[in-house]
Amino acid sequence: MVLKKLMRNPISLLGLIILIGFVLVAIFAPKLAPPRDPEQPYMIPRYGYSSTPKPPVPEHPFGTTEGQYDIFYGIVWGTRTAFWVGLFVVGVSCAIGIIVGSIAGYYGGKFDEILMRIVDVFMSFPFLIAAVVITTILGRGLDKVMLAMVCFYWMGYARLVRGSILAIKEEEYILAAKACGVKDWQIIMKHVLPNSIFPVLVQASMNIGSVVITASGLSFLGVGAPQGYADWGQMISFGRNWLLGTPENAFAYWYTIVYPGLAIVLFVLAWNLVGDAFRDVLDPKMQS
Amino acid sequence: MFNYILRRILSLPVVILGVTLLIFLMMQLLSPYQLLASYIRSPEELKNKDPDVLIHTYGLDRPAGERYVKWIQNVIRGDLGWSNSANMPVKEAILARFPATLELALFAVIPVIFGGILLGSFAAMHHNRWGDHLTRIFAIVGWSLPSFVGGLLVLMIFYGVLGWFPPGRLSTWAYQIVTSDQFVNYTGMYTLDAILNGNWAIFWDALRHLIGPTLTLAYLWWAFIMRITRSSMLDTMNKDYVRTGRSKGLPERVVVKKYIRSNALIPVVTVAGLMVLGLLGGVVIVETVFDFKGLGLLTATAAQQLDYAAVLGTTMFYCFLLVIVNLIVDILYAFVDPRVRLE
């Protein structure tokens, strides 16, 4: 039913199509860009060591960037990196947030007070900066980037879940279940969560894009994925030094920025469009 | 009202204590040798000395509780250690760089809030018509554009091609004047200092360097403010009191301004607080792109060079700022929305 409504709106349909396109690219990555070393498919192959980027040719359809990394290969495998980072960080943070939020909301009192102060403390860190600190301390690597982001991303979901649980806790069907002697965790799992989960799902789908932006931002700063890893942010940082082109032609090295930039923007845009439509479909207030 | 503000201020020390504990916890992931780096000012100090002896001298081998107390005492005294990447104490580096970031933030906040509110109310007034669709597309593209891609595009077009808005904070000639004796640095914000010194050439040059990063930050945040304003206005537009206003024959202009917009702006205040939060993180990337020597670039350079003292010190500073800003926003919120203070 939700899908049917998504299809009816041309803008969200566009988002859905772009997203499916990216899913296909991620699935067929080994076919589209066969890895040179099957053991390490995420390392972008290099074709020489000269720093000057080379324009597109049939063997390298998007050209090669600084250090002769193949741009097409990086974008194709970077799609997998983006999905992996986005889904993992949002998924795990969501799970932590749901657990913390339901305990705080359902039990209230001291639990609630302590958990919410912890949330306040974590919320006092600007997200990107917290991620920078942790990756600086732990070292480069995609696993560390994801860990750093999860550490500082669960709080929003915890607050959201707590809020909606507080709202439905006093509903009659919950009180009825309690009166029948149903166990607490069963009430939470069977009655409370299913009725408060939708705002969280909508939020999660809208967050995937911004998580991917932050992760590639870390790589852009040089504290994220290791050198040569298929990551869109890192590819843009490679292209950064060639931004101004040559004195004769300001756009001489356009392909080093435009292709990876376009990949990120389209990926994030697709998630945002779908998330936006998802919210409108599920929010009854927006239907009138 | 008074109770609400008092309660809010009383929770402040708890949060700040928590923040210091969390930062200290992160420091525990570093080895004593890595922590030692923030005490060493130059390689000479390590000559003919055993690092283990130095670790003992600085108490880095003591139990965690003892080290925490000592560290907190240092922090309160403003001693955040030695930054290798900036080659000066972290505290001095922060104080030297902060005015630049503050200047950038002040320049970005005003166009963002006003522009966003105007765009949002424009979209709501033209709900489901072309004006609405266009502003929504404009906003959602902005929300999907990472600041480093947006910033690089601005740099490519407005500096590479047109030569209007160069990177950095000042041109070389202007920088020489600013660092000379004739120019008094009152605040460290070059535009303001230039006005106070009556030097319009410098003012113009500083402004030119601010537009690029401001434009990048602004586009990103317009989307955000616009979205909130739009949905909040749409929400308010269907309220009964608005219909009452219309039916008693008030001019449309008055209905929109007094009945709809002033009520719809309440959530925008919260969002403005969130925006400051995002701005603090955002400046790290935008300052890196534009080589704008502020606090964000300090953090980014320190992170790249594994200068732990500076990374942790600036983080502490950001958190402190954020806690203060959040407090101000909450108090402001209580002023705007009477329901909050009656809670």
Side-chain angles (χ1 to χ4, degrees):
Chain A
M1 189 229 21
V2 172
L3 210 60
K4 212 180 237 173
K5 275 190 180 157
L6 279 183
M7 307 271 265
R8 214 176 297 150
N9 182 339
I11 297 182
S12 51
L13 185 65
L14 180 72
L16 211 58
I17 291 173
I18 302 175
L19 205 58
I20 291 170
F22 275 111
V23 171
L24 291 178
V25 170
I27 292 173
F28 295 109
K31 291 269 176 304
L32 287 169
R36 202 196 264 169
D37 177 3
E39 298 282 305
Q40 288 182 311
Y42 285 98
M43 299 314 279
I44 310 174
R46 303 179 75 165
Y47 296 90
Y49 292 90
S50 144
S51 61
T52 319
K54 296 211 179 81
V57 287
E59 300 91 77
H60 310 296
F62 291 173
T64 53
T65 189
E66 185 181 285
Q68 304 310 313
Y69 291 103
D70 185 57
I71 297 179
F72 178 74
Y73 188 96
I75 287 178
V76 168
W77 285 86
T79 310
R80 282 197 177 187
T81 310
F83 270 113
W84 185 219
V85 169
L87 294 174
F88 182 87
V89 172
V90 169
V92 176
S93 315
C94 223
I96 298 176
I98 288 176
I99 294 171
V100 173
S102 16
I103 293 176
Y106 188 78
Y107 291 105
K110 276 216 180 84
F111 268 126
D112 187 29
E113 188 64 27
I114 293 170
L115 287 174
M116 283 304 114
R117 286 297 84 75
I118 293 177
V119 165
D120 283 348
V121 168
F122 276 84
M123 284 232 168
S124 305
F125 285 76
F127 179 52
L128 182 76
I129 291 176
V132 166
V133 179
I134 297 191
T135 44
T136 310
I137 289 175
L138 295 179
R140 288 174 88 158
L142 205 65
D143 46 344
K144 285 147 193 160
V145 169
M146 293 195 282
L147 180 71
M149 292 174 78
V150 168
C151 281
F152 284 90
Y153 212 69
W154 55 273
M155 304 85 70
Y157 300 115
R159 277 199 175 168
L160 199 63
V161 172
R162 174 180 173 270
S164 46
I165 285 185
L166 282 183
I168 63 169
K169 200 166 78 172
E170 302 302 322
E171 296 274 343
E172 274 153 6
Y173 58 89
I174 306 280
L175 297 177
K178 261 191 193 163
C180 296
V182 182
K183 286 195 189 76
D184 276 351
W185 65 269
Q186 272 177 335
I187 296 182
I188 294 182
M189 295 300 288
K190 283 213 172 134
H191 301 289
V192 178
L193 278 183
N195 285 300
S196 52
I197 201 84
F198 275 116
V200 181
L201 288 184
V202 170
Q203 193 64 36
S205 68
M206 292 177 68
N207 286 152
I208 289 180
S210 65
V211 160
V212 170
I213 287 186
T214 307
S216 48
L218 290 174
S219 300
F220 175 77
L221 290 174
V223 292
Q227 175 106 22
Y229 198 89
D231 179 284
W232 296 335
Q234 181 170 197
M235 303 192 64
I236 288 175
S237 80
F238 282 145
R240 195 183 155 210
N241 297 330
W242 306 94
L243 177 72
L244 300 179
T246 55
E248 299 87 55
N249 180 5
F251 296 116
Y253 304 113
W254 61 275
Y255 46 88
T256 57
I257 301 275
V258 169
Y259 286 128
L262 212 58
I264 300 189
V265 172
L266 283 180
F267 187 85
V268 176
L269 184 68
W271 277 108
N272 284 349
L273 289 177
V274 170
D276 225 25
F278 200 35
R279 182 195 54 189
D280 286 358
V281 170
L282 291 173
D283 186 356
K285 265 194 292 184
M286 285 292 178
Q287 310 226 317
S288 55
Chain B
M1 181 73 178
F2 178 73
N3 273 339
Y4 171 79
I5 294 175
L6 190 73
R7 218 175 53 213
R8 196 58 192 73
I9 290 176
L10 283 180
S11 75
L12 211 60
V14 181
V15 172
I16 289 180
L17 181 76
V19 168
T20 60
L21 274 173
L22 196 56
I23 290 183
F24 186 73
L25 207 69
M26 291 181 196
M27 284 165 66
Q28 299 317 298
L29 297 169
L30 294 167
S31 73
Y33 298 100
Q34 287 168 317
L35 288 173
L36 186 63
S38 69
Y39 291 92
I40 307 296
R41 291 170 178 239
S42 70
E44 271 91 67
E45 283 183 40
L46 279 174
K47 250 187 205 159
N48 308 324
K49 274 188 193 149
D50 188 355
D52 293 314
V53 175
L54 283 174
I55 284 176
H56 189 73
T57 321
Y58 291 116
L60 292 173
D61 52 356
R62 311 296 301 166
E66 209 173 301
R67 269 182 297 135
Y68 176 73
V69 172
K70 189 168 171 243
W71 175 72
I72 277 292
Q73 284 168 345
N74 284 342
V75 169
I76 291 171
R77 266 191 282 120
D79 177 7
L80 295 165
W82 179 263
S83 160
N84 289 311
S85 61
N87 207 14
M88 57 172 97
V90 174
K91 179 189 161 196
E92 276 173 36
I94 291 177
L95 290 180
R97 295 292 194 90
F98 180 58
T101 300
L102 184 64
E103 189 179 27
L104 179 55
L106 289 178
F107 263 86
V109 161
I110 295 157
V112 165
I113 293 185
F114 282 94
I117 291 175
L118 279 182
L119 279 177
S121 41
F122 176 79
M125 290 291 112
H126 295 81
H127 185 45
N128 277 342
R129 273 177 282 162
W130 273 109
D132 185 26
H133 293 312
L134 280 181
T135 31
R136 281 182 87 182
I137 291 171
F138 173 79
I140 204 157
V141 169
W143 194 230
S144 309
L145 191 71
S147 49
F148 48 93
V149 177
L152 288 177
L153 287 178
V154 167
L155 209 54
M156 198 185 225
I157 294 166
F158 291 101
Y159 176 56
V161 181
L162 299 168
W164 291 351
F165 310 137
R169 277 191 78 192
L170 284 175
S171 310
T172 322
W173 62 267
Y175 189 72
Q176 275 163 357
I177 295 178
V178 167
T179 45
S180 69
D181 294 336
Q182 294 110 36
F183 192 90
V184 192
N185 281 297
Y186 297 99
T187 58
M189 297 190 252
Y190 290 147
T191 46
L192 195 60
D193 286 352
I195 295 176
L196 293 175
N197 279 282
N199 191 334
W200 292 102
I202 302 263
F203 174 77
W204 183 238
D205 191 59
L207 197 64
R208 235 159 59 103
H209 286 82
L210 274 168
I211 294 177
T214 303
L215 203 65
T216 311
L217 286 172
Y219 185 35
L220 204 107
W221 286 98
W222 269 336
F224 202 46
I225 300 269
M226 188 229 121
R227 246 160 99 155
I228 304 289
T229 315
R230 175 179 174 276
S231 63
S232 154
M233 290 226 359
L234 285 180
D235 227 28
T236 325
M237 264 155 77
N238 297 326
K239 290 273 159 68
D240 286 341
Y241 56 79
V242 173
R243 202 167 303 140
T244 313
R246 280 219 179 87
S247 59
K248 72 182 181 189
L250 285 176
E252 185 63 21
R253 193 171 40 86
V254 177
V255 174
V256 170
K257 258 176 105 174
K258 290 259 163 78
Y259 283 59
I260 302 179
R261 201 181 291 165
S262 55
N263 279 303
L265 285 188
I266 292 170
V268 180
V269 175
T270 334
V271 173
L274 272 176
M275 198 181 91
V276 175
L277 195 153
L279 263 180
L280 284 177
V283 291
V284 177
I285 286 179
V286 170
E287 286 182 3
T288 308
V289 169
F290 286 93
D291 192 31
F292 191 88
K293 294 207 168 41
L295 208 55
L297 190 57
L298 178 71
T299 313
T301 324
Q304 283 153 12
Q305 302 184 9
L306 301 183
D307 176 359
Y308 302 110
V311 172
L312 291 165
T314 49
T315 304
M316 183 106 68
F317 187 73
Y318 288 121
C319 293
F320 190 68
L321 273 183
L322 194 64
V323 170
I324 301 288
V325 168
N326 271 342
L327 177 73
I328 296 173
V329 169
D330 279 359
I331 292 175
L332 217 63
Y333 202 55
F335 272 107
V336 183
D337 188 351
R339 280 166 302 184
V340 172
R341 54 178 186 257
L342 291 176
E343 225 178 54

